[in-house]
Amino acid sequence: MQAVMSEHTRGWLRFIWEKSTTPDDWSSGGAPHPWWDRTSTAPMCAFPRFDLGETGYILPVLVDQTPAWREVYTRIADELVGRHTTFWAASDWLSLIGPDPRSEDYPPEWQVFVAPHLQGRYELPGWTANGIEPWGLQPDPIAADGNLFFRGFFNLLLSIYRYVSGDEKWERPFEVTGYRDVRYQWSHYEIAEFLNQQWQERPQGPHCENTKIWPYCLSAAGLGLQMYDQTAGSSLHGVFEEWVDYAKKHYLRKDRRGRLKAFPFYYDPIQQSLFTFPGSATAYAALAITPYLLPQDPAFGEYLYREATRMLGWSQPNAPVLSVPDPRFQIVGLLTARELGDDVTARRLRSSIEQTAEPHQFGDQHQSFGYWFGTGEPYPRGQLSALLMLCEAGEPGSWTRAFNNPSCRDRFAEPTVEGVNFPSVGICQARNDPVLKALSVSTYPATPSARGEESTFRITRLPDARNAMVLLNGERYPRWRTISETEIEVQFAVGDLDFTVLQSNTEKNRTGIRSERTTPNRQTQPASKAIRRYQPTAKRCTAGCC
């Protein structure tokens, strides 16, 4: 059963549409809009590109809910990708040059990310150190020896764009901003191929900040390669599978009982230092990679999750869930618990997160939704909200399935809803039933004041628009017209409406519709099973509009 888009998910979609489609200046002479999060999980993730990537995570889940309506997700993904080519997306690599002159003055809460024997003479995670030996200054943020956490997450975002759109726009050459605003030309395939080739040369994994190799970033980079293979028919993901074997041998530490003993936050091959948090805190490093690892290696991902929740006491019903300064780790735990169907741990983590998440409807008509986490900021905290919304959208397992969907390209040849006047009108169900040859479409007012206004949408890729028929709540609906041999336009007053578009206006098709029509946008069953028996009238509509 396909989950129905919740009110919170609709509100979040409304906000990220506004966030992504509102122009702002990410060039070296400008600055991103304040709603792009460059604060969370400092010092590692306090850059606005992490908000770009994590905002995109929900899109594959949403498009799998409405596979016949993709235009809004495509536009959002395109805007996210476009910003990722700019100065501000790579600002750390382009401006944090050489050794950090402040390495002796890091605050104590940041020193915990550095091994004790290196504190005071070692750059923090997040300081990219472009220009240090033995690599020297590398002006292209993609073609660098380091900076995996730029191109790896970028490749994942590009793959998400291709998954939701079916479009090859970013396979064509585009420019990426480099050092001193020099532009470098790349394509999606070239980025994916470069990742693969570099990984082959470095079985321990390419590094992010110069000198640091992160399982977290490598797992995300691997996930991007997996989705690229799935959507493009390539075979580049094998390097990640080989890296998992390497990581189990060189990075993972178990006790004699096979339980997790240590897992690294990062590894520095120059210092030959494997940095791990002490004691049970090592579980956070293992847990952090599980959302990326689970779709690629379910067994290893579940092992790390189970061991991390055991070490942290999250899986023990009677043990308290201790709060941590950064909610990210509990949110990641919730996401993986939900994916694995661990309802006990998921309930415990959700209860703990809700104490600080601070959810709000906001906007002129309270049409948007997000989480503030007590920041007092004028907008939802982007990275944390995006991750937490991923824990609400779709159904359990939907994140993992999006990266293991061999039929994901089939939707692009099926009847499709287009021309929806979003954000006045939203679509919460759009799904083709291949057996009944019926497309179910459910609308809602994405902007409350738009209710009752006249609007339209088109159905494209019909095999023969002249033989189509439109139903509203199971009854024949007259307000539509044929535009071309494969396309029709439906007129309606904005509201909570349930349409069915039949591909064939034949007696067999009409009387074969099952009487299971409900209202999916009001928390009921999915559109693929939600079609009421249609009783034909004496006169059949043959002209395409009546």
Side-chain angles (χ1 to χ4, degrees), residues 214-440:
W214 289 76
Y216 173 76
C217 302
L218 290 163
S219 298
L223 191 59
L225 288 177
Q226 177 167 303
M227 182 166 271
Y228 186 74
D229 284 353
Q230 178 176 261
T231 55
S234 55
S235 55
L236 301 173
H237 183 250
V239 290
F240 180 80
E241 298 166 0
E242 295 173 1
W243 176 81
V244 168
D245 293 335
Y246 184 97
K248 290 177 180 178
K249 182 177 180 180
H250 297 281
Y251 296 159
L252 182 68
R253 298 290 182 267
K254 297 182 180 181
D255 63 19
R256 293 181 179 179
R257 298 169 60 184
R259 299 187 306 182
L260 179 65
K261 185 176 180 180
F263 192 80
F265 208 43
Y266 59 85
Y267 170 63
D268 187 327
I270 303 299
Q271 297 288 339
Q272 296 186 344
S273 175
L274 196 68
F275 175 75
T276 60
F277 292 125
S280 62
T282 195
Y284 291 116
L287 187 70
I289 77 169
T290 56
Y292 305 102
L293 181 60
L294 194 64
Q296 303 177 80
D297 191 323
F300 190 34
E302 183 167 359
Y303 169 81
L304 291 181
Y305 165 79
R306 300 291 181 189
E307 287 300 297
T309 55
R310 175 189 63 80
M311 297 176 76
L312 296 170
W314 291 353
S315 59
Q316 303 172 27
N318 297 323
V321 175
L322 301 179
S323 62
V324 292
D326 189 343
R328 178 185 296 269
F329 293 99
Q330 286 190 354
I331 297 172
V332 165
L334 172 60
L335 174 57
T336 308
R338 190 171 181 265
E339 287 291 293
L340 290 171
D342 184 358
D343 296 335
V344 172
T345 303
R347 283 194 299 269
R348 284 163 48 77
L349 289 174
R350 188 176 293 278
S351 177
S352 177
I353 293 166
E354 286 175 351
Q355 296 178 29
T356 60
E358 199 181 358
H360 282 313
Q361 299 278 11
F362 66 101
D364 293 340
Q365 300 179 43
H366 300 283
Q367 78 277 16
S368 297
F369 178 81
Y371 297 95
W372 266 256
F373 290 92
T375 61
E377 297 167 347
Y379 305 104
R381 179 55 70 87
Q383 296 181 46
L384 300 180
S385 289
L387 291 172
L388 189 50
M389 283 308 309
L390 190 57
C391 300
E392 180 166 339
E395 58 187 351
S398 56
W399 166 255
T400 299
R401 283 194 297 274
F403 294 91
N404 295 275
N405 184 358
S407 61
C408 66
R409 288 181 281 182
D410 295 348
R411 65 186 64 159
F412 305 123
E414 297 175 339
T416 301
V417 186
E418 297 183 11
V420 175
N421 187 24
F422 189 87
S424 294
V425 181
I427 303 293
C428 56
Q429 287 277 16
R431 183 173 296 276
N432 284 285
D433 187 317
V435 175
L436 298 176
K437 298 186 183 303
L439 168 60
S440 295

Side-chain angles (χ1 to χ4, degrees), residues 89 104 209 306 491:
E104 297 180 1
E209 306 99 335
R306 300 291 181 189
Q491 300 173 331

